[in-house]
Amino acid sequence: MSLVSIIVPIYNVETYIGKCLKSLVNQTYEDIEIVLIDDGSEDHSCDIAKEYVQKYHNVHLFSYSNAGVSMARNRGLQMAKGKYVMFMDSDDYLDKKAIEVMVHYMEANDCDLVTCGYVIDYPFGRFYRKGCKTGTMTSIEALDSLARGTGINNYPWAKLYKKELFDEIEFPVNTQRFEDAYTIFKTMIKAKRIGNVSKRYYHYMQHAGSLTNHMNIEMVYQMRDSVEYQDMYLKKAYPKETFHFDQQYFNADMMILYTMLRQKNHAKYMPATIDWEQIHPIYHMAYLIWRKYVLWRLGYSTRTQEDFGH
């Protein structure tokens, strides 16, 4: 058996951390270590984590002053001893066969990285996200899927990595948001073969404290900046390849307009450059209608709206 290191940053999650850790210590795959990085929690998260440390020999807790999730993950990578690593958010949980299935797929198909499907758990129910079909991809195929938003995503979790993929790759500590989008695709560049297990083993919890419930206009523009970073990076890394990020730019611009309306924010709308031939015509029409409606509701003149372009 190959050791799997599960890295869990912890920060003020006393309501959720117990369920997360319970799902990890109950994995059917036995050769795991659980690396808990306390990022300066001020609630009882650490106390709950210490109970698991005392009860389970393979649970390790390291405490630091608050430095952000990127630094916590980087520290976890430094502490991890496994051949493989996996990231967990401390308010999420994992089905008990997840690691066993993903390790088996990794080794049976000579992969460097394996993804699995995930479920978004809301207080009122579940949303089953469409993921990749079970199978393998080359690095280029995975990056194309990431760019188009057709299965592969930027999330660090719901993925099993060979630890060596993170050699010379770190999560950026100079950005407080969307650090995943600046990092995970670089491991895909290094991976020769990427496997996908379609079954949804990861449970992504949505609650009042989730980032997606606190997005403001600055954050949404930062989200689009991260898409542009990937776009520019891949153009330099693969000058002979074409990656289409247009759907992601579309999604970001629709979110920007929504956030402007929700917050009644009158900041100037700066549209992304989108190749509309890569977008379904119905989506394009929806964008034009939505943009006109939002800017009208915010009191922009017709001429000003025209200045924003398409």
Side-chain angles (χ1 to χ4, degrees):
M1 271 190 164
S2 299
L3 179 64
V4 176
S5 300
I6 308 172
I7 299 169
V8 188
I10 299 174
Y11 181 71
N12 292 349
V13 283
E14 62 182 6
T15 305
Y16 311 100
I17 186 63
K19 186 171 185 176
C20 172
L21 295 181
K22 183 177 179 180
S23 76
L24 298 183
V25 298
N26 286 331
Q27 288 293 305
T28 56
Y29 188 83
E30 296 181 354
D31 198 8
I32 65 174
E33 64 167 2
I34 302 169
V35 181
L36 308 179
I37 306 296
D38 171 40
D39 190 36
S41 294
E42 298 173 343
D43 63 359
H44 293 290
S45 299
C46 239
D47 296 330
I48 297 170
K50 288 176 182 176
E51 293 177 6
Y52 279 83
V53 171
Q54 293 171 0
K55 189 173 181 180
Y56 299 95
H57 73 280
N58 60 339
V59 181
H60 312 290
L61 175 65
F62 304 92
S63 294
Y64 303 89
S65 57
N66 181 253
V69 67
S70 286
M71 181 61 77
R73 289 183 180 134
N74 291 338
R75 286 168 168 163
L77 286 167
Q78 292 171 5
M79 298 297 179
K81 299 177 182 178
K83 177 180 179 180
Y84 306 126
V85 295
M86 173 181 279
F87 297 99
M88 283 284 298
D89 282 357
S90 52
D91 49 355
D92 298 338
Y93 68 98
L94 204 60
D95 284 0
K96 65 181 182 179
K97 287 190 175 181
I99 296 176
E100 178 185 354
V101 171
M102 295 174 77
V103 169
H104 175 75
Y105 197 92
M106 175 86 82
E107 297 182 343
N109 294 278
D110 192 26
C111 295
D112 302 299
L113 191 162
V114 172
T115 78
C116 71
Y118 68 97
V119 180
I120 303 178
D121 283 13
Y122 293 93
F124 52 81
R126 290 179 172 175
F127 179 62
Y128 293 86
R129 289 297 301 266
K130 183 178 180 180
C132 293
K133 295 180 180 179
T134 297
T136 61
M137 293 178 167
T138 65
S139 177
I140 294 293
E141 289 170 339
L143 291 167
D144 182 68
S145 175
L146 177 70
R148 294 178 182 274
T150 56
I152 299 292
N153 57 58
N154 289 304
Y155 298 128
W157 40 257
K159 296 176 178 69
L160 182 70
Y161 312 80
K162 282 187 177 179
K163 186 173 184 287
E164 63 193 42
L165 292 182
F166 284 94
D167 291 347
E168 301 181 359
I169 292 178
E170 291 186 334
F171 290 88
V173 296
N174 58 347
T175 178
Q176 296 299 313
R177 303 180 183 97
F178 310 110
E179 65 286 338
D180 311 342
Y182 291 88
T183 311
I184 299 305
F185 80 102
K186 295 176 184 176
T187 67
M188 298 177 192
I189 291 174
K190 295 178 69 174
K192 295 179 180 178
R193 186 188 297 268
I194 296 170
N196 302 300
V197 176
S198 62
K199 190 164 183 179
R200 300 176 179 90
Y201 287 114
Y202 193 95
H203 292 262
Y204 176 40
M205 303 296 292
Q206 284 287 296
H207 49 81
S210 299
L211 174 63
T212 49
N213 292 319
H214 294 276
M215 297 278 276
N216 57 38
I217 192 66
E218 178 184 3
M219 293 167 65
V220 183
Y221 272 116
Q222 289 174 351
M223 177 179 70
R224 197 177 72 185
D225 289 344
S226 71
V227 176
E228 185 174 2
Y229 175 85
Q230 288 187 357
D231 191 358
M232 296 300 103
Y233 193 102
L234 290 181
K235 283 178 179 176
K236 291 180 180 179
Y238 300 97
K240 296 183 180 180
E241 298 287 341
T242 301
F243 298 98
H244 295 287
F245 282 87
D246 303 283
Q247 184 67 46
Q248 291 201 48
Y249 284 127
F250 165 82
N251 294 340
D253 275 29
M254 293 292 277
M255 179 63 75
I256 288 169
L257 289 166
Y258 166 75
T259 306
M260 288 175 66
L261 181 62
R262 179 171 58 87
Q263 297 183 342
K264 295 182 172 57
N265 191 305
H266 289 79
K268 183 176 180 179
Y269 169 53
M270 296 174 288
T273 300
I274 299 174
D275 179 359
W276 290 106
E277 292 185 359
Q278 301 298 324
I279 304 294
H280 194 287
I282 292 178
Y283 287 178
H284 189 189
M285 183 61 67
Y287 165 78
L288 294 175
I289 295 171
W290 178 236
R291 185 193 65 186
K292 191 173 186 67
Y293 172 75
V294 170
L295 298 179
W296 171 73
R297 284 292 304 271
L298 292 175
Y300 290 100
S301 67
T302 302
R303 179 58 180 275
T304 303
Q305 292 183 36
E306 290 174 352
D307 288 344
F308 291 140
H310 293 263

